[in-house]
Amino acid sequence: MSTAAVHSLWTTAAASADPISKIDAPKIEYGQLSPTLIVLGAALIGVLVEAFVPRKNRYYAQVFVSVVALCAAFAAVIALAADGFGTTKAHVAAMGAISVDGPSLFLQGTILLAGLLGVFTFAERRLDPAAHGNRVDSFAAQAASVPGSDSEKAAVKAGFTTTEAFPLLLFAIGGMLVFPSANDLLTLFVALEVFSLPLYLLCALARRKRLMSQEAAVKYFLLGAFASAFTLFGIALLYGYAGSVSYARIAQVVEGTVTNVDPALAGTMGNDALLLVGAAMIVMGLLFKVGAVPFHMWTPDVYQGAPTPVTGFMASATKVAAFGALLRLLYVVLPGLRWDWRPVMWAVAIVTMLGGAIVAITQTDIKRLLAYSSIAHAGFILAGVIATTPSGISSVLFYLAAYSFVTIGAFAVVTLVRDAGGEATHLSKWAGLGRRSPLVAAVFAVFLLAFAGIPLTSGFAGKFAVFKAAAEGGAMPLVVVGVISSAVAAFFYIRVIVLMFFSRPNPEGPTVAVASPMTTMAIAAGVAVTVVLGVAPQYFLDLASQAGVFVR
């Protein structure tokens, strides 16, 4: 066929076809997404600071950018809540990708405050003795250099610092802000990777014990990659089941209320095997992030090996984000599958509470002890998730807010107790700390009592709220197991308090470093929240219950 003939065929076909309708531009509500956009914008500015600002000024520029961004993002969350986006104006924004509702704003506010305290602990430069006349922080002088090599020694001598930690922290916070408010499975997965990858890097940056730090990061990365793969495979199966990654559409298909079915997908849409296996895989990935048994094996090693400021931030903010995503998935997408997932979650909650509490008794390192403590707390929070009632949502929100401040405060105190090798994390070194430094020991005792759930602390109010919600939701046996686990956990918390106040101090024991105002502010905020939420929790419980309605 000649070229002219082909050309005439083409023009005839084009003329007979319908005119192509114009592609609509995406409708993005930038104001409602402003908290996330501010944090991610500041993270990009942080990358530019690393590229263009002279090395000696980078630390101050990064701290300034991080603090201003997190404060501005928190103010944006408060403005959105005050404007009714947590209640009457709650809706799905960004073309169906992001939910702007009570739980998402409450969790975003909690993550931003935890991130702000995290920045304060990251910025601490007074705890270690100065190296070659330069103040040093918790992070390696040059992350790319081999531990103990000549290049590392030269970097320490030159006074280098890994200020990249601040933009990495901001990227992690940005991902965490999206994670609990994601309204489709692809947004959920992108957010998961955006906050996981910076955490893998941050775990490897410890100035002291660099090999242990790098080992922790590799373990976290490999196990996290497996969990992400499970999550992604689960997303693919749910897409095959529902023909959509949108939460609302999947929920409609599960409940059998969907109307317009694509003929190409009609064959798989009723396949319950795809639904059950896909949902199980996604929930597995989320349980890995919260550190629930049996997906907890990374937790003690990573908590012990990572720089302590990173451990504190990760232990609090990651739990908040992951539990928020888990709540939304179970309450918005899979309420029609409740009879299938509740028995499994019962089992996970019971082994998590008992496993975390019992194994913690055998620990001799304070960071590993707090890691197993965090596993037990994941079990307590799961009791509230299982309630499947509005009070279950609000109790989990309150517990997450209370727990995040106690955790950051506790790890900030751990950074203060030091010997010649850096942080003195072995429990034997903490003997007699109450006589050597009564104030630091008393503050740590307050945090331990909150973890144990002793009355007049935020831990008691949080545990009471989730156990009450679980009992009202028909999970009374779970509450009994929770109370027994709390009693077991109280033993090792009280043991540390006894060790600090009633043991004779070792003459060669560690010293308590004098912190800068930033770490002091982080610890003071932790104590203040612990006491206020314990003594007068009602206002915050009411706030959590107002914020406890998911947009569907």
Side-chain angles (χ1 to χ4, degrees):
M1 189 182 288
S2 69
T3 311
V6 171
H7 186 260
S8 67
L9 276 173
W10 168 247
T11 50
T12 309
S16 62
D18 293 330
I20 298 169
S21 60
K22 71 180 199 306
I23 298 171
D24 292 328
K27 183 173 180 292
I28 307 294
E29 297 87 342
Y30 292 105
Q32 290 153 43
L33 305 180
S34 55
T36 308
L37 297 175
I38 289 168
V39 172
L40 291 176
L44 294 174
I45 292 170
V47 173
L48 296 176
V49 166
E50 289 299 313
F52 296 110
V53 174
R55 191 182 289 275
K56 66 177 186 296
N57 299 330
R58 279 181 206 163
Y59 164 82
Y60 301 102
Q62 294 285 23
V63 174
F64 176 76
V65 167
S66 303
V67 170
V68 168
L70 292 173
C71 291
F74 184 71
V77 168
I78 298 293
L80 287 171
D83 205 17
F85 283 102
T87 48
T88 52
K89 292 186 187 174
H91 72 124
V92 179
M95 311 277 292
I98 302 285
S99 301
V100 181
D101 57 10
S104 70
L105 291 177
F106 189 94
L107 293 167
Q108 285 179 344
T110 305
I111 291 164
L112 288 166
L113 289 177
L116 187 61
L117 299 187
V119 168
F120 290 157
T121 56
F122 274 46
E124 177 58 65
R125 301 180 88 183
R126 289 196 190 169
L127 302 180
D128 267 322
H132 304 284
N134 299 300
R135 285 185 172 175
V136 296
D137 53 21
S138 301
F139 301 102
Q142 194 165 30
S145 56
V146 176
S149 65
D150 291 338
S151 65
E152 185 184 53
K153 290 170 186 167
V156 172
K157 193 169 183 180
F160 290 1
T161 53
T162 305
T163 45
E164 297 95 321
F166 294 99
L168 285 173
L169 176 73
L170 290 175
F171 277 120
I173 293 170
M176 287 174 187
L177 295 179
V178 176
F179 199 53
S181 53
N183 199 57
D184 68 50
L185 294 172
L186 283 183
T187 307
L188 180 85
F189 183 74
V190 170
L192 173 69
E193 294 306 298
V194 168
F195 83 76
S196 296
L197 293 171
L199 289 179
Y200 302 150
L201 290 171
L202 286 168
C203 287
L205 296 181
R207 180 174 284 272
R208 310 284 189 115
K209 300 177 181 169
R210 288 210 48 208
L211 288 174
M212 183 195 274
S213 172
Q214 291 177 353
E215 180 194 352
V218 170
K219 282 179 179 171
Y220 191 21
F221 170 65
L222 290 175
L223 292 172
F226 274 112
S228 294
F230 275 111
T231 306
L232 197 56
F233 196 32
I235 290 170
L237 293 177
L238 276 191
Y239 177 72
Y241 169 79
S244 174
V245 291
S246 163
Y247 283 6
R249 175 75 171 187
I250 297 168
Q252 286 175 347
V253 178
V254 171
E255 290 162 5
T257 57
V258 70
T259 50
N260 52 334
V261 179
D262 189 327
L265 295 163
T268 58
M269 272 181 94
N271 190 336
D272 285 348
L274 289 178
L275 170 65
L276 292 170
V277 177
M281 285 182 150
I282 295 174
V283 169
M284 199 186 299
L286 295 177
L287 290 176
F288 172 86
K289 280 293 169 198
V290 303
V293 178
F295 314 105
H296 69 293
M297 293 312 245
W298 61 277
T299 311
D301 290 340
V302 173
Y303 279 31
Q304 185 182 13
T308 306
V310 175
T311 308
F313 167 72
M314 190 169 63
S316 58
T318 306
K319 260 197 179 42
V320 175
F323 266 114
L326 184 65
L327 273 176
R328 192 176 293 277
L329 188 76
L330 295 179
Y331 280 64
V332 175
V333 186
L334 304 172
L337 209 61
R338 184 177 305 169
W339 301 111
D340 295 287
W341 62 252
R342 270 194 85 176
V344 178
M345 299 299 271
W346 267 65
V348 170
I350 288 170
V351 296
T352 303
M353 288 189 285
L354 290 174
I358 291 167
V359 180
I361 294 173
T362 65
Q363 300 307 309
T364 55
D365 184 277
I366 195 78
K367 285 170 80 173
R368 287 184 82 86
L369 186 146
L370 291 175
Y372 280 104
S373 152
S374 87
I375 292 168
H377 281 282
F380 299 142
I381 300 170
L382 280 172
V385 174
I386 288 165
T388 61
T389 60
S391 63
I393 302 173
S394 60
S395 68
V396 169
L397 296 180
F398 179 85
Y399 200 123
L400 289 170
Y403 175 80
S404 58
F405 283 93
V406 179
T407 305
I408 287 189
F411 279 105
V413 172
V414 171
T415 63
L416 302 183
V417 183
R418 310 178 85 80
D419 57 17
E423 290 161 6
T425 56
H426 198 278
L427 275 179
S428 61
K429 304 272 182 74
W430 287 59
L433 188 71
R435 300 185 190 184
R436 185 173 282 122
S437 182
L439 180 62
V440 170
V443 166
F444 197 61
V446 169
F447 292 137
L448 291 174
L449 293 173
F451 282 135
I454 303 300
L456 298 183
T457 64
S458 59
F460 174 77
K463 276 184 187 168
F464 184 81
V466 291
F467 288 161
K468 180 167 176 272
E472 289 171 354
M476 197 63 203
L478 205 60
V479 176
V480 173
V481 174
V483 171
I484 293 169
S485 302
S486 294
V488 173
F491 166 75
F492 59 79
Y493 295 128
I494 304 294
R495 188 184 71 178
V496 176
I497 294 173
V498 169
L499 184 74
M500 290 192 298
F501 287 99
F502 300 103
S503 298
R504 191 182 299 279
N506 184 352
E508 288 87 43
T511 57
V512 175
V514 178
S516 72
M518 284 188 282
T519 296
T520 308
M521 279 165 64
I523 296 171
V527 173
V529 172
T530 302
V531 173
V532 169
L533 294 190
V535 175
Q538 196 55 52
Y539 171 77
F540 298 95
L541 285 166
D542 292 343
L543 196 66
S545 64
Q546 286 168 20
V549 182
F550 288 108
V551 65
R552 282 183 171 80

